[in-house]
Every structure is written in structure tokens, then in C-alpha cells.
Amino acid sequence: MLYNTIINYKINNNNKIIICNFLCYKKKIFNLKIKNKFYKKLLNIKQIIYLFFFFNYWKKIEFKNVCLFTTIFKNNIISNIDALFKLFLISIGKIICNLLNLNQIFEKLQNLIWTNIGCFCINNFNNLNFNKINLIIESIDKIPYLTKFLIPKNVRISNTNRVRLGSFLSKGVTIMSEGYVNFNTYIGKNCMIEGRVSSGVYVSNNTDLGGSSSIMGTLSGGGKNIISLGNNCLLGANSGIGFSLGNNCIIEAGLYITSGMKIFLIIKNNFIIIKAKNLAFINNLIFYRNSINGKIECCKNLTKSIIINKILHKN
């Protein structure tokens, strides 16, 4: 599948494109055809760009350093702009996380200096004159903040440098100051994030991640298993998981459970020893550590719903 965009780009001293604005994006524009009784014609690039203007796909465009860029979402990343465009497609909701091919993303992305007046190539930065400009260096990184490219609607973000491009935030999401959302992630409606959502993680609706909680992702030894949280889940403060949860599940504060840990599952007053990964996607479970013997136990969540503070969630 082809995704196409018109970009207004910026180059470094070596005339290599390092950053751009995505002015317009469209799927499969190369297959656009005009059909009627009299003729059938495949449009060329100039005609396609003309149609974008004619139908007012964007209101204003600067014609300096403008070009058409195309990416194939199943192919490996080939350049810095290709990587940024694929992350942008995730953030605007065109493609759900984990469906795009992000192989070689860190090899192709460039480490840039991100500031309040734009981004700069590291090698060129010291040669620039900023004497009369109030310059603030916000980060030196390969992946920018989400808000460098778009402002999500109906979302509250306490600290924007904690949310990276390539994350998708649904309506009603609140990201508190210590919350962190990495690229290639999905956050469902009305979630409150005070913990860390690692790359590759899918969080469903009405779920709370308590302060300093953590969800194991697919980077840094996390493996290829994609971890997801169901609707109405709660991760207590300083807790964490390395396996997927179903709906209406609770992890006790301070309890980190990896997929291979032994869980004492309580069924009709009897204990069954089972690995945590075998409880993945099962609804209505509570995980906690027995304060007397230290064993990790799991029982049925009889309430079948998590009571949340609606005032805090409302943004």
C-alpha cells in the first residue's frame, strides 16, 4: 500500500533533507483515474498536485523546497523522512500501531537538535549565529515530540516532551507529568497515563496507569510479543506487566509481573500454579502479592468494573 505526502523540507549544509512538514497526505494517489464515457486516463504527478489545490486539500503552501514523497508501509525504512512519515501516519490514526514496517528506524533516523525555533543538524549547529535569538534546546534525539508535528484534539498533556511522534492518543486521554508514551503505541479513549507505555503497546479504553507503572514493550529485550491492556484496567503505582491483560483487570501497586512468573490462581478456595502468560486476555482478574507468604496470587474481580475519578479524567 502506498502513502503519499507533499512535504516542505529543510536541508543541512550537505544538502540532505533532515526535516519536513507534511502538508498533505493521501493513500494510493498514483492509482487515481478519471473515467467517463469518452476517456480513461491515468493522472501524472503534476495533475495530481493540481487536483489537491483544486479540491482545497490544504489552504496554503510555500513553494520553496517542496516535493512529493511516497512510502510503502510494508517496506523497510529507507530514510529519515520515510521514518518520520510512517510515525506521523500512526499519530494521525491512518494506520494502527504494529502494522507498519519500522525495521531499520534507528539506523535511518538522524540525531537532531530540537529547539523552540525548529530543528538543526548537529554538525551544523555550532556554525549558526543565535546571538539575537532566545534559543531553547528542548532535546537531542532521533524521534521528536508528538506536538512538533500535530496537536491532538480533546487531549490533555501535562508535559509534551514525554509523548513521542508515532504515538496515537484518542479523545479524552490525559497524560500526566510523569506519564511517558513511546512511538508505535495506541492509547484508547478516556485513559489516564501516569506511568510508562513502551513501544508496541496497545492500551484500550478507560484504563488507568498509576504513577511510575510500566508496560514492557518490544524494544530493549522486550521480545516480539505485543502487549495490550483491555478496557477498564488499572495498574497501581510502581506496578508493571510483561503480558497482556483482558478487560476489568487490576495489578496491585508495586507488583511487577513478567510473563514467566508463577501465579497462584485461586479457584473455589483452591490454588493452581500457572504462568502469568497463560492468564493473558482473561477478563475480570486481580493480581496481588500475599503479604504473609510473599506469593503472587490472582483471583476473580467480582466488581467487573473499575471505578475511576471522572473529574480527573475529564479534560
Side-chain angles (χ1 to χ4, degrees):
M1 184 184 298
L2 297 178
Y3 273 88
N4 306 274
T5 182
I6 304 295
I7 64 172
N8 188 343
Y9 61 87
K10 177 182 177 181
I11 60 175
N12 61 10
N13 290 350
N14 297 323
N15 293 324
K16 291 184 178 180
I17 300 176
I18 59 171
I19 194 62
C20 69
N21 294 323
F22 300 109
L23 303 174
C24 180
Y25 38 89
K26 196 72 175 173
K27 183 168 64 175
K28 295 182 179 179
I29 64 171
F30 289 115
N31 296 329
L32 184 61
K33 295 180 180 179
I34 295 177
K35 296 180 181 180
N36 60 25
K37 298 179 182 178
F38 307 104
Y39 63 92
K40 174 182 177 182
K41 185 178 181 181
L42 179 64
L43 301 181
N44 59 34
I45 292 176
K46 290 183 178 179
Q47 291 169 322
I48 290 168
I49 294 175
Y50 172 78
L51 283 180
F52 280 161
F53 279 108
F54 184 80
F55 290 108
N56 194 26
Y57 279 110
W58 60 78
K59 295 180 180 180
K60 183 179 179 182
I61 183 171
E62 297 179 4
F63 284 95
K64 182 180 179 182
N65 293 341
V66 175
C67 69
L68 178 67
F69 180 80
T70 301
T71 187
I72 302 175
F73 85 108
K74 287 187 177 180
N75 288 6
N76 289 348
I77 290 173
I78 59 174
S79 68
N80 186 62
I81 300 303
D82 189 28
L84 292 175
F85 186 38
K86 285 186 174 181
L87 295 178
F88 180 77
L89 289 173
I90 295 174
S91 291
I92 62 177
K94 292 296 181 181
I95 299 179
I96 298 177
C97 66
N98 298 309
L99 294 182
L100 275 172
N101 184 349
L102 298 179
N103 291 340
Q104 299 182 345
I105 186 169
F106 290 108
E107 291 89 336
K108 298 300 180 180
L109 276 171
Q110 298 181 43
N111 216 20
L112 300 173
I113 297 177
W114 301 88
T115 75
N116 59 318
I117 60 171
C119 73
F120 302 91
C121 186
I122 294 177
N123 296 331
N124 306 147
F125 186 75
N126 293 330
N127 299 327
L128 300 174
N129 184 8
F130 297 113
N131 291 334
K132 297 182 180 180
I133 300 175
N134 185 16
L135 180 71
I136 300 175
I137 297 178
E138 298 172 336
S139 67
I140 303 174
D141 202 355
K142 294 186 174 185
I143 301 178
Y145 310 157
L146 173 68
T147 51
K148 288 292 184 181
F149 282 83
L150 72 149
I151 305 298
K153 296 180 179 180
N154 300 316
V155 167
R156 180 157 58 103
I157 304 176
S158 179
N159 193 351
T160 56
N161 65 1
R162 305 279 293 176
V163 182
R164 301 176 98 183
L165 182 67
S167 59
F168 177 79
L169 306 181
S170 303
K171 292 181 179 180
V173 168
T174 297
I175 311 293
M176 300 302 290
S177 297
E178 293 304 314
Y180 174 76
V181 184
N182 209 341
F183 72 96
N184 195 32
T185 53
Y186 177 95
I187 309 296
K189 295 179 180 179
N190 304 318
C191 292
M192 177 170 284
I193 309 298
E194 295 184 86
R196 186 174 74 248
V197 181
S198 301
S199 181
V201 171
Y202 186 103
V203 180
S204 299
N205 303 330
N206 304 308
T207 287
D208 273 19
L209 273 61
S212 298
S213 61
S214 177
I215 306 173
M216 188 180 295
T218 54
L219 298 178
S220 302
K224 296 182 179 180
N225 292 329
I226 298 171
I227 295 178
S228 66
L229 276 69
N231 298 317
N232 306 306
C233 289
L234 173 63
L235 267 63
N238 297 304
S239 66
I241 56 169
F243 66 102
S244 295
L245 295 179
N247 299 326
N248 308 312
C249 291
I250 300 174
I251 304 293
E252 182 188 55
L255 178 61
Y256 201 117
I257 307 176
T258 58
S259 62
M261 279 187 173
K262 293 181 179 179
I263 306 294
F264 287 78
L265 179 63
I266 302 175
I267 301 178
K268 296 181 179 180
N269 297 323
N270 294 318
F271 288 96
I272 298 176
I273 300 176
I274 188 172
K275 286 188 176 180
K277 63 182 180 181
N278 294 326
L279 296 174
F281 303 108
I282 298 178
N283 300 332
N284 307 313
L285 296 178
I286 299 178
F287 296 86
Y288 58 93
R289 188 180 296 277
N290 189 308
S291 60
I292 297 176
N293 55 33
K295 295 177 181 179
I296 301 174
E297 299 179 354
C298 175
C299 66
K300 197 76 171 178
N301 179 13
L302 299 178
T303 62
K304 296 185 179 181
S305 64
I306 307 299
I307 300 175
I308 61 174
N309 189 325
K310 293 183 179 180
I311 296 176
L312 287 177
H313 277 251
K314 187 176 181 180
N315 54 32

